[in-house]
Amino acid sequence: MHAPPGLRGEFRTDDVARALYAEGAGILRIVPQAVAVPSGVDDLALLARWAAGAGLALVPRGAGSGMPGGNIGTGVVVDLTQAFRDAPVVDAAAGTARCGASVTYQALNAAAAAYGLHLPPDPSSGAFCTLGGMVATNAAGSHSVKYGAMRRWVRQLEFVTADGEAGRTDAPAEGRTAAEQRFLRDVAPTLRERAADLAAAVPHTTKNSAGYALDVYATSGRTADLLTGSEGTLAFITAVEVALAPLPEDRSTLLVTLRSLDDVGPAILALRPLGPSAVELLDRTYLDFVRGAVQRHIPADTEAVLLVEFEGDGQRAVAAVRHFAETTELADDVASVSRLWELRHLASPILASLPNNLRSLQLIEDGCVPVPVLGRYIRALRDSAAAHGFEIVIFGHAGDGHLHANLLADVSAPDFATRLTSCLETVTGVQLSLGGTPSGEHGDGRLRAPFLAPAFGADFAELCRRTKVAWDPAMILNPGVKLAAPGAKLGPETLKVGALAPVLPDGIGARLRDVERAAGWGLFKLSLAPSPSGSAR
Ligand SMILES: Cc1cc2nc3c(=O)[nH]c(=O)nc-3n(C[C@H](O)[C@H](O)[C@H](O)COP(=O)(O)OP(=O)(O)OC[C@H]3O[C@@H](n4cnc5c(N)ncnc54)[C@H](O)[C@@H]3O)c2cc1C
């Protein structure tokens, strides 16, 4: 394959470059045919037209920290971290900021903090994930229980379509791209007519990053709502404008230990009317996992710990949970608040330093269910992991009913991949039967794309397909992500672990493992190459 004529950015087809883009965070490994690093909007437009002509897939990619495989694929991976770096411009009076899509969450917030402002959805990956990736996945974080996910904060987007046209979501009618016009003509009227059906079809959870946000678009009519969460399947996002909120002045934190999983849902429901800014849960599986590193006393019969944050005084919360709590501890000065949160930050370094045969796998890592059934969901997660022969570590954003469940698997066992597939199907079935969603914040990617129709129903899935066709008739943008490709199969040969994982050139697998262990997603992947040989240009 040769670089598209006229491309100004890099285009690489050598084995090393392709291998460096074969993984994101998460469990999948797919080696692309080529890697492109566009130098700007014109390069993106050129790539789109070239791909449509050649029948090639383009895989938009930010920092690569997404977990379900939306940032990898067999076609041409398009690295968007270099070209769209316009620094944040904060309009303090309007409470907004604009920046290029390559800018990280951390950089945006550093600029906003100078005005006493911040972008509230706060992914733990904020040091390295890009604004483009956050919009594309509808990212969220610990504070989303109060502030919601990205979609609530996105004001306007600039984008490049699959036809190779640059557009803006605030463009006047005469300035709209052909892709948006097709969507407005062919699909939007149906969405408006069927708004009530769409609202009934979506999971009734406070967070959701699965499927397209057709229900939201049907009532808002905002293209920015539709593109948010579209995971690189409808357009390349090149610039964002977001709303900002004032930085909170004080925080207090309440640590609650619970003796029964039956108390998890009721305790959270008792806390939510008090307006907590975070309600995080550490399950018994998490406490057992970090026990050696825990400095504080947690009663031995604790089934779950809640860490509840308030902007201001949390005293009233102690009374609200007294009936459920085995113990409570309230911290209201900076040092003691940060000591309580240490418990939440213990797991990542331990998970990252596991030996190579025992891996922490993000397979069922992002389910979200209604809060009243959270205790049942935790039991089902524990049971399903045990039935499939895996350890599990469960924690997450319980105020939204949203839990991260990491499976610990001996990847040298011959049948581990079969057990993984079965576990994914079982747990997704549980999430749906409880009225939940397979993805609270990470998105569908390739991993969860097959569950679109089971989760939302065949009619909703068909409207998603029509939306995709309107925006991307040649199916060049991330095919197989969000909408499963016909016959697509994520077998053991698409995993980054196990005997059948695709083989990478010498040393590259180890470099990618280092990225994972050190959370080095902010590194430009081509900078990890031992030598820049093999450029196709
Ligand atoms: C340690 C760790 C902690 C994490 N914590 C959180 C968390 O708290 N909350 C959370 O929501 N997520 C979290 N994540 C997941 C991940 O960081 C988010 O999904 C993030 O938004 C992805 O951004 P990225 O720049 O890495 O995008 P990528 O991973 O490169 O891409 C993700 C998806 O977005 C698409 N995409 C990326 N950029 C663009 C663009 N400019 N235009 C169009 N499509 C694009 C890709 O095609 C892909 O489908 C975590 C990940 C890690 C590794």
Side-chain angles (χ1 to χ4, degrees), residues 363-412:
L363 177 85
I364 48 167
E365 88 294 355
D366 201 34
C368 185
V369 300
V371 167
V373 296
L374 201 51
R376 276 168 62 193
Y377 179 49
I378 294 171
R379 278 198 189 93
L381 282 172
R382 291 182 188 171
D383 290 350
S384 181
H388 290 93
F390 300 122
E391 280 181 63
I392 192 166
V393 178
I394 305 169
F395 58 98
H397 316 302
D400 282 309
H402 179 214
L403 294 178
H404 296 312
N406 287 36
L407 290 177
L408 304 190
D410 174 357
V411 297
S412 62

Side-chain angles (χ1 to χ4, degrees), residues 43 67 74 108 136 183 202 210 243 270 284 286 316 386 401 407-408 412 424-425 468 475 492 499-500 504 517:
D43 267 1
M67 297 197 174
T74 53
L108 176 81
F183 170 73
V202 296
R284 174 163 55 75
Y286 178 104
R316 280 187 312 150
L407 290 177
L408 304 190
S412 62
L424 173 64
E425 280 165 10
K468 168 74 174 166
M475 297 282 172
L500 297 180
L504 301 182
R517 284 193 154 132

Side-chain angles (χ1 to χ4, degrees), residues 110-442:
Y115 300 87
L117 299 168
H118 72 140
L119 174 63
D122 56 336
S124 327
S125 50
F128 42 82
C129 69
T130 64
L131 264 299
M134 285 180 69
V135 171
T137 54
N138 190 27
S142 301
H143 293 102
S144 293
V145 66
K146 182 177 173 86
Y147 292 104
M150 273 304 278
R151 187 173 291 111
R152 193 193 287 181
W153 299 88
V154 172
R155 288 290 166 270
Q156 303 295 347
L157 300 171
E158 290 174 29
F159 56 89
V160 171
T161 67
D163 305 319
E165 258 190 297
R168 312 167 57 93
T169 56
D170 59 351
E174 63 280 8
R176 287 186 186 129
T177 59
E180 187 173 5
Q181 288 179 38
R182 284 191 300 266
F183 170 73
L184 290 172
R185 185 192 65 209
D186 298 345
V187 192
T190 313
L191 298 183
R192 280 196 296 276
E193 275 159 32
R194 304 204 35 205
D197 298 339
L198 295 170
V202 296
H204 292 104
T205 48
T206 51
K207 279 166 92 176
N208 177 43
S209 282
Y212 292 134
L214 301 186
D215 54 316
V216 183
Y217 178 85
T219 51
S220 77
R222 278 176 17 108
T223 300
D225 284 336
L226 180 68
L227 294 185
T228 303
S230 63
E231 296 184 55
T233 61
L234 301 183
F236 292 104
I237 295 157
T238 55
V240 305
E241 180 185 317
V242 290
L244 302 171
L247 275 165
E249 282 170 16
D250 316 306
R251 295 186 198 272
S252 59
T253 297
L254 176 68
L255 185 148
V256 183
T257 62
L258 299 172
R259 235 181 316 210
S260 167
L261 286 181
D262 294 329
D263 291 333
V264 170
I268 295 168
L269 292 177
L271 287 163
R272 279 218 308 212
L274 305 178
S277 46
V279 184
E280 298 287 290
L281 177 140
L282 311 175
D283 177 54
R284 174 163 55 75
T285 54
Y286 178 104
L287 299 170
D288 288 346
F289 184 67
V290 300
R291 198 161 295 282
V294 176
Q295 302 293 332
R296 66 184 47 256
H297 172 68
I298 302 284
D301 57 353
T302 299
E303 284 294 323
V305 165
L306 296 179
L307 278 168
V308 190
E309 183 193 83
F310 292 90
E311 292 171 358
D313 183 19
Q315 191 61 49
R316 280 187 312 150
V318 178
V321 292
R322 181 161 292 134
H323 177 64
F324 309 103
E326 184 174 19
T327 63
T328 56
E329 183 179 342
L330 183 65
D332 55 12
D333 63 90
V334 174
S336 42
V337 163
S338 99
R339 270 198 299 281
L340 286 192
W341 281 96
E342 276 166 13
L343 189 58
R344 169 74 168 86
H345 302 133
L346 284 174
S348 295
I350 306 178
L351 285 170
S353 56
L354 290 171
N356 260 343
N357 64 331
L358 185 67
R359 294 288 284 265
S360 163
L361 302 179
Q362 289 82 29
L363 177 85
I364 48 167
E365 88 294 355
D366 201 34
C368 185
V369 300
V371 167
V373 296
L374 201 51
R376 276 168 62 193
Y377 179 49
I378 294 171
R379 278 198 189 93
L381 282 172
R382 291 182 188 171
D383 290 350
S384 181
H388 290 93
F390 300 122
E391 280 181 63
I392 192 166
V393 178
I394 305 169
F395 58 98
H397 316 302
D400 282 309
H402 179 214
L403 294 178
H404 296 312
N406 287 36
L407 290 177
L408 304 190
D410 174 357
V411 297
S412 62
D415 63 338
F416 94 95
T418 316
R419 287 184 280 123
L420 276 187
T421 312
S422 168
C423 187
L424 173 64
E425 280 165 10
T426 308
V427 171
T428 308
V430 171
Q431 291 158 352
L432 301 184
S433 72
L434 292 175
T437 168
S439 174
E441 64 187 19
H442 294 165

